[in-house]
Amino acid sequence: MTKQKLSIISLLIVCIASFTVLLSIGSDIYREAPPIPTKVVNTNGKVIFTENDIQRGQLVWRSMGGHQLGSIWGHGSYVAPDWTADWLHREANNWLELRSREEFNKPFTQLSKSQQAGLEQLLRDDLRPNNYNPETGIITISPTRSDAVSMLQQHYIGLFGDDPAYQPLREDYAMKEGTVSTAERREQLTAFFFWSAWAATTERVNQNYTYTNNWPYDPVIGNTPTSSNIVWSILSVVVLIAGVGALAWYHAALKHEPLPTPPKYDPLFDGKPTASQKAVGKYFFTAIGLFLLQVFLGGITAHYGVEGQDFYGIPLSEILPYSVTRTWHTQLAVFWIATAWLGTGLYIAPALSGHEPKFQRLGVNVLWVALVVVVLGSMAGEWLAVQQYLDLDTSYLLGHQGQEYIDLGRLWQILLLVGLLIWLALVTRAIRPALSQQGEMRAVIWVLYASCVAIGLFYGAGLFQGKHTNLAIAEYWRWWVVHLWVEGFFETFATSVIALMFVRLGLVRAATANSAVLFATVVFLTGGLIGTLHHLYFTGTPTSVIAWGAIFSALEVVPLALIGFEAVESYRMRNATPWMARYKWAIMFFVATAFWNLIGAGVLGFLINPPVALYFIQGLNTTATHAHGAFMGVYGMLGIGLMLFCLRGLAGETKGWDDKWLKWAFWSLNIGLVAMLAMSLLPVGLVQFFAVIENGYWFARSPEVLHSPLVETLVWLRMPGDMLFGAGGIFLGIFLAKLVVNAIKQGSGKKAEALAR
């Protein structure tokens, strides 16, 4: 059996086995998700909440921005509290205060330590037992807890409305006035918050840990790390070390064939772009436009961390509240990177096959219009939803689904999936002849096409959850989109495209590229597919998720440990032959991708991957550090590199191509990103980490920490990095603008020559 066939078989085995595990775990999550009760009553028979209250409360949470205003179970944004942890802390304080006055006739803070310890034990005895009746679907709570919940409801009703007494707290949380429009909606929202907190403090039947595996950390209510958190974290480190060692051994034993002698002339430069390839240019200009908008919104969103309702004194939150700017900021990150990569697919397909299908240009143009409609329509819907102009059902359909990275309303989500399927059809039409050719690169072309199929289809995983889906199950399907679609198959697509580009340029042997791509895909997907589960440790899932997620997310990091070799090899390509200067900055962005793969995805990713680490720091600024380093550093830089490679072919010998602007863009973007992470995001995350250990998770997300002088100073220190990064985006925009202006001039000149003749 040849090495290539063995790699293909290994790839098929990895995919089949991984999806078998993922689907099996998914069925466990369905069976063991925290139940949504028909009613919540106290022992006196008083009805506190109904199932409809909880379901409608979840829709209220979605409509106000969901994950974009605070978080639930640690998933979401970072300025407002995690509402689960905040509810638990406040409910516990209310309970202790009520019992203290009832038994000792004095405030809890005035009790002796032994008296406080006794009441805290009674608190745990009241909150932790599972009083859900599976036959009736009723949760029964004590009268004391019922009174504590009623007191807490009034707090949230005032906070999410426009009660002047809560205005300072709303500003600390970057909430606009009247976040939730009606008293009825605010009451329903408290039902959803109660349910998320009940799941986080109620032990599973016959177990000593909660539905969320004892998350969030709060010793007062008995939430401390489970044995599974600790054991599987240690084993994940062992697996990481073993994996890195095995891969290093393999790499050392590998026979490295010398690179081929590069051709004297650029094999791609003399080829004329087809009509459909020329039409792809607008995708790249659109991508940069969306990128610049995303950077601008990121600056506003970051500023809300110190001035929660204003932007340098301007009451901006009335028009563009934090939940809107952050929604657009995170969504545009997906949109602009996806647009650049989809454009690359449409450009590379006819280049590989040499075939231009009939009406391909029309299809490319129609798809671009459709994507623009989805982007603008979804953004408008999200604004209308957060401003509370829509009823709850319409908000879910056209406005805001409330879940990070799939925030867009359900209709826009469906239309985006249709657009991806159209893209897949266009790529298939153009690349089909290359799939049947018996060439050296056939295996890589098939890997590329398979990743295109996965990109087209796997976004649809987000449609498996609906507006009333149990949040534990909704999170499972959401991460299929965020992790598998973005972090999995886009990575495979990019690896294949880069290999094909270097082979077509004559810089890498086809056989070498085949082996490298197939092996890299096998290694990456071995950890990457099941590694999705590391996002789900504390989202109402069984402990098996911790075991699978810990081990395989460690394996995700293994190939990144040797990513430096890839960076060095890519860097050498830029000087392989004089004409490679045309592609210098495209290759430099590939080098940056390798660097950020190691730092952003590898080092900063493993910082939060082990269960015991994530238990304490999920949803802190350490998560934001990893997100910025991995998403922009890896996928953003890669998107820009792919885009420049395609634009080089489209631009030809045009004088508008100015490497000076690309040089400034490259260094500004990368140095700015480093400064942003090192001077602000990571230090804030470490400050919060200490706060969690010392006082509980709720404290790290409280105004006492986030608006302390130290943290606010660190937030301001983000400005130099942000400004430098923003300048990099502007330089990239100027580069593209010069290309457009020059193309227009050249077009006018050709028309004048034709008329003169």
Side-chain angles (χ1 to χ4, degrees):
M1 184 180 295
T2 65
K3 188 175 181 180
Q4 181 174 311
K5 286 184 178 179
L6 182 61
S7 296
I8 293 172
I9 292 172
S10 299
L11 180 58
L12 291 174
I13 291 173
V14 165
C15 289
I16 293 171
S18 296
F19 280 110
T20 299
V21 171
L22 278 179
L23 292 171
S24 176
I25 293 293
S27 68
D28 290 342
I29 294 173
Y30 269 85
R31 288 194 303 271
E32 301 182 36
I36 298 177
T38 55
K39 286 187 296 186
V40 178
V41 302
N42 66 18
T43 52
N44 297 326
K46 178 183 177 183
V47 176
I48 313 299
F49 301 116
T50 66
E51 180 179 8
N52 183 65
D53 292 333
I54 297 170
Q55 298 281 24
R56 299 299 287 179
Q58 184 175 9
L59 280 183
V60 174
W61 170 74
R62 290 177 182 273
S63 74
M64 73 180 196
H67 282 150
Q68 306 297 352
L69 186 62
S71 57
I72 295 285
W73 294 343
H75 291 279
S77 59
Y78 314 111
V79 177
D82 179 89
W83 302 114
T84 303
D86 189 65
W87 179 287
L88 283 174
H89 172 68
R90 293 179 184 277
E91 183 186 342
N93 283 350
N94 288 349
W95 192 101
L96 292 169
E97 193 65 29
L98 287 169
R99 288 298 293 269
S100 176
R101 294 186 180 277
E102 179 183 322
E103 294 193 15
F104 301 101
N105 199 31
K106 61 174 67 173
F108 179 76
T109 54
Q110 295 180 11
L111 300 183
S112 66
K113 290 185 178 179
S114 61
Q115 289 172 328
Q116 289 181 344
L119 283 185
E120 287 175 352
Q121 184 58 54
L122 291 176
L123 169 71
R124 292 189 285 272
D125 292 342
D126 190 8
L127 267 59
R128 295 188 72 83
N130 196 324
N131 294 318
Y132 171 74
N133 186 327
E135 295 181 0
T136 62
I138 294 176
I139 292 174
T140 304
I141 63 176
S142 69
T144 303
R145 188 173 189 184
S146 173
D147 291 341
V149 167
S150 296
M151 293 169 59
L152 191 49
Q153 279 186 285
Q154 298 311 307
H155 167 80
Y156 285 109
I157 288 171
L159 176 65
F160 283 89
D162 53 9
D163 187 335
Y166 289 91
Q167 192 279 329
L169 196 55
R170 280 193 291 273
E171 185 166 359
D172 286 340
Y173 293 165
M175 295 169 60
K176 74 184 187 74
E177 298 298 304
T179 301
V180 177
S181 58
T182 67
E184 179 186 19
R185 289 190 183 186
R186 293 194 287 272
E187 290 177 4
Q188 292 169 338
L189 180 63
T190 63
F192 176 64
F193 285 173
F194 167 83
W195 174 80
S196 77
W198 176 85
T201 193
T202 300
E203 293 178 352
R204 290 181 179 272
V205 178
N206 299 323
Q207 301 294 343
N208 63 352
Y209 53 83
T210 70
Y211 285 100
T212 58
N213 291 305
N214 279 2
W215 191 92
Y217 176 62
D218 192 338
V220 172
I221 62 172
N223 274 9
T224 55
T226 64
S227 58
S228 293
N229 282 335
I230 297 170
V231 171
W232 289 109
S233 295
I234 294 171
L235 291 178
S236 73
V237 175
V238 173
V239 168
L240 172 63
I241 295 172
V244 170
L247 193 60
W249 196 345
Y250 171 85
H251 192 273
L254 197 64
K255 292 182 179 179
H256 298 280
E257 296 183 10
L259 295 175
T261 302
K264 294 182 178 180
Y265 302 101
D266 185 345
L268 299 182
F269 207 66
D270 292 332
K272 293 184 178 180
T274 67
S276 69
Q277 286 179 313
K278 291 178 180 178
V280 167
K282 65 174 70 68
Y283 284 73
F284 302 130
F285 300 127
T286 302
I288 294 305
L290 295 176
F291 173 53
L292 291 173
L293 180 58
Q294 189 223 354
V295 171
F296 173 72
L297 290 167
I300 295 176
T301 304
H303 185 78
Y304 276 137
V306 290
E307 215 178 348
Q309 294 181 327
D310 296 339
F311 186 73
Y312 295 101
I314 302 170
L316 190 62
S317 65
E318 296 303 309
I319 303 171
L320 286 177
Y322 173 90
S323 51
V324 169
T325 61
R326 191 177 188 276
T327 296
W328 289 350
H329 178 66
T330 55
Q331 184 171 290
L332 284 171
V334 175
F335 277 153
W336 84 258
I337 293 172
T339 300
W341 290 26
L342 296 181
T344 299
L346 293 171
Y347 180 88
I348 204 73
L352 291 173
S353 66
H355 173 61
E356 174 81 350
K358 193 175 182 181
F359 302 122
Q360 183 77 354
R361 181 174 180 273
L362 176 62
V364 169
N365 288 332
V366 169
L367 178 59
W368 178 80
V369 172
L371 289 175
V372 170
V373 169
V374 169
V375 170
L376 298 180
S378 63
M379 291 175 68
E382 287 153 352
W383 184 84
L384 290 170
V386 171
Q387 296 291 60
Q388 302 284 287
Y389 290 138
L390 306 175
D391 65 71
L392 295 182
D393 295 301
T394 304
S395 177
Y396 177 80
L397 182 64
L398 298 175
H400 210 304
Q401 290 193 63
Q403 292 199 278
E404 199 172 21
Y405 295 111
I406 51 172
D407 306 272
L408 64 173
R410 176 51 62 97
L411 176 63
W412 305 114
Q413 185 184 22
I414 293 171
L415 291 177
L416 181 55
L417 177 60
V418 171
L420 290 169
L421 294 177
I422 294 173
W423 172 78
L424 176 59
L426 291 171
V427 170
T428 301
R429 295 175 75 235
I431 205 173
R432 184 183 298 164
L435 297 175
S436 58
Q437 292 173 0
Q438 297 295 326
E440 288 184 308
M441 291 303 295
R442 190 183 183 199
V444 175
I445 291 173
W446 269 102
V447 170
L448 171 67
Y449 181 65
S451 67
C452 290
V453 173
I455 289 169
L457 297 179
F458 271 81
Y459 184 76
L463 297 175
F464 285 110
Q465 54 125 330
K467 62 182 177 182
H468 296 308
T469 299
N470 188 300
L471 188 61
I473 299 163
E475 284 292 329
Y476 170 75
W477 289 117
R478 180 172 77 93
W479 284 106
W480 271 58
V481 175
V482 180
H483 189 96
L484 290 181
W485 186 63
V486 175
E487 298 182 37
F489 298 115
F490 269 118
E491 181 90 10
T492 305
F493 170 84
T495 302
S496 306
V497 167
I498 292 173
L500 288 166
M501 287 177 175
F502 284 155
V503 170
R504 291 296 296 272
L505 288 171
L507 303 175
V508 177
R509 299 181 191 279
T512 303
N514 258 332
S515 299
V517 168
L518 287 171
F519 180 76
T521 303
V522 170
V523 173
F524 181 78
L525 294 184
T526 297
L529 296 179
I530 300 178
T532 304
L533 296 174
H534 82 262
H535 299 285
L536 305 175
Y537 294 151
F538 313 118
T539 58
T541 56
T543 53
S544 58
V545 167
I546 294 179
W548 286 102
I551 297 301
F552 282 87
S553 65
L555 290 176
E556 279 188 275
V557 183
V558 168
L560 304 181
L562 298 181
I563 204 75
F565 291 104
E566 178 186 323
V568 171
E569 289 172 2
S570 296
Y571 186 71
R572 288 172 178 167
M573 295 294 182
R574 85 195 201 290
N575 292 325
T577 183
W579 52 260
M580 273 301 292
R582 295 169 179 158
Y583 304 99
K584 174 183 177 179
W585 291 106
I587 290 177
M588 288 298 290
F589 275 101
F590 294 158
V591 173
T593 299
F595 170 81
W596 286 110
N597 241 327
L598 174 61
I599 301 301
V603 176
L604 298 176
F606 196 71
L607 172 67
I608 64 174
N609 271 11
V612 75
L614 196 60
Y615 178 82
F616 291 108
I617 61 180
Q618 176 160 286
L620 305 185
N621 273 264
T622 45
T623 304
T625 305
H626 163 60
H628 282 76
F631 209 97
M632 178 60 215
V634 178
Y635 302 106
M637 298 297 175
L638 188 51
I640 294 173
L642 293 173
M643 177 181 64
L644 292 178
F645 207 105
C646 297
L647 284 173
R648 181 73 269 188
L650 290 172
E653 290 288 4
T654 178
K655 296 179 181 178
W657 189 278
D658 192 341
D659 278 349
K660 173 186 65 178
W661 293 107
L662 290 179
K663 177 182 178 180
W664 291 354
F666 175 84
W667 290 112
S668 296
L669 289 172
N670 282 281
I671 295 173
L673 186 55
V674 169
M676 188 191 309
L677 302 186
M679 295 173 64
S680 182
L681 287 175
L682 183 57
V684 171
L686 295 178
V687 170
Q688 290 181 292
F689 195 175
F690 281 103
V692 172
I693 300 295
E694 293 170 2
N695 294 287
Y697 184 84
W698 65 271
F699 185 67
R701 297 283 297 274
S702 68
E704 288 86 350
V705 172
L706 291 179
H707 291 281
S708 64
L710 173 59
V711 170
E712 288 207 345
T713 299
L714 290 171
V715 173
W716 279 112
L717 284 175
R718 178 173 167 169
M719 183 175 287
D722 281 4
M723 293 180 68
L724 189 58
F725 185 86
I730 292 172
F731 295 148
L732 195 58
I734 293 172
F735 165 79
L736 284 172
K738 288 192 68 176
L739 275 185
V740 172
V741 170
N742 189 78
I744 292 173
K745 287 181 178 178
Q746 282 192 337
S748 300
K750 289 179 181 179
K751 289 180 181 178
E753 288 178 14
L755 289 173
R757 292 174 186 169

